[in-house]
Amino acid sequence: MKKLIVTLIGSLWLFVVSAQSKYNPHEAFNPLFYPQNGNDYRSASGEPGPKYWQNRADYRINCTLDPDRHFLSGDVEISYTNNSPDNLKFLWLQLDQNIFQDTSRGSATTTQAGGRWANIGFTKGDVIKSVSVEADGKKYTPQFIVNDTRLQLWLQQPLKAAGSKVKVNLTYEFEIPEYGADRMGRLNTTNGWVYEVAQWFPRMCVYDDILGWNTLPYIGAGEFYLEYGDIEYAVTLPGNMIVAGSGELLNEKEVLTAEQQTRLAAARNSDKTVVLRSAAEVKSPRSRPSGMLTWKFRIQNARDAAWAASKAFVWDAARINLPSGKKSLAVSVYPVESMKKDGWQRSTEMVKASIEHYSKTWFEYPYPVASNVAGIVGGMEYPGIVFCSFSDSGSGLWGVTDHELGHTWFPMIVGSNERRYAWMDEGFNTFINSLSTKAYNGGEFATFSFFPAEDMTSVVYSPKMDPLMTAPDVIQQQNLGIVAYDKPSNMLTALREVVLGPQRFDAAFREYISRWAFRHPTPWDFFHTMENVAGEDLSWFWRAWVFSNWKLDQGVKGVQYQENKPGNGAAITIENLEQMVMPVSVLVKEAGGKEYRVHLPVEIWQRGPEWTFTVPTTKRITEVVLDPDKKLPDVNRKNNSVLVNEK
């Protein structure tokens, strides 16, 4: 850090030459922030209102995997409940596999731009074989329209409000792409293909009190917004394959060998990793039953389900201890290529530690199993299961495992709209990752972090950076890591460490999770909750961090001794040069080594860009430092400190 050295002649005024301030307090503290008052659906306090509602989608799915053709065929029964106050004449469903068609919007946009979500090959997408509706005991074939990644289904009679139900049955098939936009796909390993199967059945779009039907197409960067319900599914495939899936395996006696059943029982009672199928057993026919097998799973109160299958899997597990006394199961499946120093043989240990930390700190893990799958996907999350890169090890394996499992809380438990507000799931998750990484194994990988704030300020606050409140498909691809992950994580860290303090922040953040667990919050519900629980007007904070790309530049402007005598105390003037405001921490050093810490609230900036405060010095000041602990993203630290020499 460069420090400005200023000489005081005769112990008079010290002024630092500074730039013209761009700060406008009327804009930063404008009282008109919230666009509307609370209502019966969403309280002004941030809680779900007394008439809050959301619709429900329960699924029963049967599918068959043909590994020779890489094809999946299936049928799904959707039981849809309309809890809204509206009669629905039609329904909207998501057909995510259609993104892989060469005519899709994703292919026309994301693929042409390149990057993580670009298709490297095309399929026919979801081939819908049949659609039927059952309502009031009558079954019929409805009119439907497929448009890109959406299907609109017209009902013969409107689905009435306040609890009416309808069943929708679809049969379908699709080719599993090799590279599925880094969210699913298949990896060819020494011992066979690893299939990671997601977005694999038609799912209901969300109908809510904010937008009605949420029908943004699946283009690539924007993830998912889904209704909650119970999902039961059956996967039929060759018996030499092992399946890991969302939720609980219902028929383990039918699909596991006797030895694997014994080992699984041991894993459920072990805090140490138990090998269910070793690397040496992968090529042994005796490690799997013969013929075709059907694996049956169930996950409850979930918004999605995914699974993985391979004959190449090494498989291990261990017990997860939850705060209530309940138990869950940490599971890892991976090919032998993933076994190396600090490789996937440590995955289950990491899964267990991650889930236990978040359950104790924020909200208890709700599912019976947490599975980590090594495959082609670099990192993707689904309820009860995550996909991570087969090549990861050490801090990289911990980082991606912990991050994807952290998504259990955002957005699997707190069901925000990922397709519109990436910062509410990726950013919140990155923030909780920073705390879990410090806690894991005595800080073994604590040097691993997502985008250190001080090193990234010039990039985060560049004129070309998108604001947080930008839809993910609108964010420039090179900016997405910062806008969705880095900046919102830094925002919450600053809110916790500088504005509210850990005690008030943690209480408010836990309350937000608890209030909106398995519900659909908006950004405004989050803002209201944090303010009401913490007891703080934070409109100035959200305006700067979320809605704008304002910069923070605080500097030291002047020092004056009372009556020109250091022993009488000193008046120090600081200034805010850019539009963002934050509280100020100041370190003042005296000759002889005495130090003063001054903490000034954000309200000092309410009336203008300068503030003068006094320090009861007894000797001359040698240095003044703003933000000495570097907790703030100050874009110009050269003016944060001055060294004072007197002659």
Side-chain angles (χ1 to χ4, degrees), residues 237-498:
L237 37 60
N240 62 358
M241 304 182 80
I242 286 174
V243 181
S246 295
E248 179 183 10
L249 176 62
L250 302 176
N251 63 332
E252 62 186 58
K253 291 183 178 180
E254 297 173 15
V255 297
L256 303 183
T257 66
E259 181 64 29
Q260 287 165 357
Q261 293 175 48
T262 299
R263 294 174 183 176
L264 183 58
R268 291 190 176 110
N269 292 292
S270 174
D271 288 321
K272 299 293 184 181
T273 299
V274 175
V275 176
L276 308 183
R277 190 199 196 201
S278 69
E281 292 174 313
V282 168
K283 293 184 178 181
S284 171
R286 291 179 296 178
S287 73
R288 297 296 306 130
S290 60
M292 296 291 287
L293 293 177
T294 298
W295 296 62
K296 298 177 181 179
F297 294 88
R298 177 179 59 221
I299 187 166
Q300 296 176 297
N301 203 17
R303 42 171 257 167
D304 201 359
W307 52 275
S310 182
K311 63 181 182 180
F313 278 152
V314 177
W315 186 20
D316 58 44
R319 178 178 63 193
I320 297 173
N321 303 301
L322 300 175
S324 68
K326 294 181 180 180
K327 309 298 179 185
S328 185
L329 187 69
V331 171
S332 298
V333 289
Y334 46 92
V336 294
E337 288 89 337
S338 300
M339 301 179 72
K340 60 188 77 171
K341 184 180 186 302
D342 289 331
W344 273 78
Q345 62 272 29
R346 289 193 65 185
S347 168
T348 290
E349 164 203 329
M350 295 174 179
V351 172
K352 172 182 168 65
S354 181
I355 296 294
E356 289 180 349
H357 170 84
Y358 295 131
S359 296
K360 180 180 179 180
T361 306
W362 304 116
F363 189 93
E364 186 164 290
Y365 184 73
Y367 303 122
V369 178
S371 296
N372 195 14
V373 181
I376 194 170
V377 178
M380 189 60 201
E381 70 281 357
Y382 302 96
I385 191 169
V386 298
F387 300 158
C388 299
S389 175
F390 78 102
S391 63
D392 282 329
S393 62
S395 63
L397 179 59
W398 162 256
V400 70
T401 298
D402 183 54
H403 179 78
E404 304 311 332
L405 290 171
H407 275 301
T408 303
W409 284 262
F410 308 101
M412 304 304 164
I413 293 174
V414 181
S416 55
N417 188 342
E418 297 178 274
R419 199 152 288 179
R420 290 183 180 273
Y421 312 116
W423 61 275
M424 292 185 73
D425 72 290
E426 297 294 358
F428 288 16
N429 183 28
T430 302
F431 163 72
I432 65 173
N433 299 157
S434 66
L435 301 178
S436 61
T437 298
K438 292 177 183 177
Y440 174 61
N441 201 27
E444 179 181 2
F445 301 125
T447 56
F448 175 84
S449 62
F450 291 85
F451 312 112
E454 184 182 358
D455 297 341
M456 294 292 291
T457 51
S458 62
V459 178
V460 173
Y461 300 98
S462 74
K464 296 182 180 180
M465 190 56 57
D466 303 271
L468 264 59
M469 194 62 85
T470 306
D473 287 313
V474 179
I475 298 170
Q476 298 300 314
Q477 284 201 40
Q478 67 270 21
N479 292 347
L480 187 67
I482 293 171
V483 176
Y485 297 73
D486 172 30
K487 189 175 178 180
S489 174
N490 292 340
M491 173 184 74
L492 294 185
T493 299
L495 185 61
R496 184 178 193 262
E497 301 298 328
V498 179

Side-chain angles (χ1 to χ4, degrees), residues 10 72 82 102 127 214 236 240 282 306 308 348 359 382 419 466 492 552 579 588:
L72 185 142
N82 178 21
D102 58 4
V127 178
N214 286 259
T236 300
N240 62 358
V282 168
T348 290
S359 296
Y382 302 96
R419 199 152 288 179
D466 303 271
L492 294 185
L552 179 70
Q579 189 56 23
V588 181

